[in-house]
Amino acid sequence: MREFKMLDMNGDGRLSRTEVLLFPRLSAAFDDADTNHDRYVSYEEVRAFAVRYRAERERSKAAAQGAGGSTARSEHTR
């Protein structure tokens, strides 16, 4: 919440595209985070985006480790 308030420069409780320019990950995914399509992201939308982002990152990391592990095993048995 502290980071959200720091980005919310005008204190209106929501973030505009301009306000999120300082946060590249959210800026790049602004349209995905703005789930109600009002051209702003609320604290709740930012939290939901963060949960989705972390889950996707963990799935990608697990998939990469799984793929790397199977390659390593097959090379080891040769």
Side-chain angles (χ1 to χ4, degrees):
M1 180 66 152
R2 181 178 45 140
E3 292 87 357
F4 183 90
K5 287 183 177 183
M6 286 174 38
L7 292 173
D8 185 14
M9 298 191 193
N10 64 359
D12 66 354
R14 58 190 189 169
L15 303 176
S16 67
R17 283 187 188 275
T18 303
E19 289 171 319
V20 300
L21 287 175
L22 298 173
F23 191 50
R25 191 177 312 136
L26 181 55
S27 183
F30 190 90
D31 291 330
D32 290 334
D34 181 20
T35 56
N36 67 356
H37 309 291
D38 66 351
R39 299 183 319 204
Y40 295 93
V41 289
S42 66
Y43 179 68
E44 291 78 19
E45 287 172 317
V46 170
R47 285 188 56 180
F49 170 77
V51 167
R52 287 192 315 268
Y53 175 82
R54 287 184 193 118
E56 185 176 310
R57 187 178 62 193
E58 290 301 315
R59 279 193 301 272
S60 294
K61 188 187 303 182
Q65 288 174 347
S70 63
T71 302
R73 271 184 254 121
S74 64
E75 288 176 1
H76 181 68
T77 57
R78 288 184 189 173

